[in-house]
Amino acid sequence: MWAILIGAALVIGGLLFLFRPVLRRRQSDPHRTPQGGATLEPPRQGLGFLSLAQNWLTLAVIVAGALLLTFGQYL
């Protein structure tokens, strides 16, 4: 039972740590686009924060948690 609870905590903690840069980002202020309209879209958009090179440790924690969730009943 403890292995399953630890696995769930690892998966949830890993996901929160993975999305920490997005969660800490301040809200967008309306700004003008080159076409003249107002938008809330950030000026620099991209998914660079999800790259494997930056988040290999976080992904390893999520995988370890998933393994504990899957095989925790046998421990």
Side-chain angles (χ1 to χ4, degrees), residues 3-75:
I4 294 173
L5 292 174
I6 292 171
L10 285 174
V11 169
I12 292 170
L15 288 173
L16 287 175
F17 194 70
L18 181 67
F19 292 116
R20 182 180 43 136
V22 175
L23 294 173
R24 287 191 176 181
R25 190 181 307 167
R26 66 179 181 84
Q27 297 292 325
S28 296
D29 294 324
H31 61 277
R32 294 281 181 206
T33 62
Q35 291 82 17
T39 182
L40 290 176
E41 289 289 326
R44 298 179 319 271
Q45 232 178 344
L47 296 176
F49 67 93
L50 289 176
S51 70
L52 185 60
Q54 292 178 348
N55 297 311
W56 65 270
L57 185 59
T58 302
L59 295 175
V61 168
I62 293 172
V63 167
L67 288 174
L68 278 174
L69 281 171
T70 304
F71 300 112
Q73 64 184 349
Y74 301 116
L75 297 177

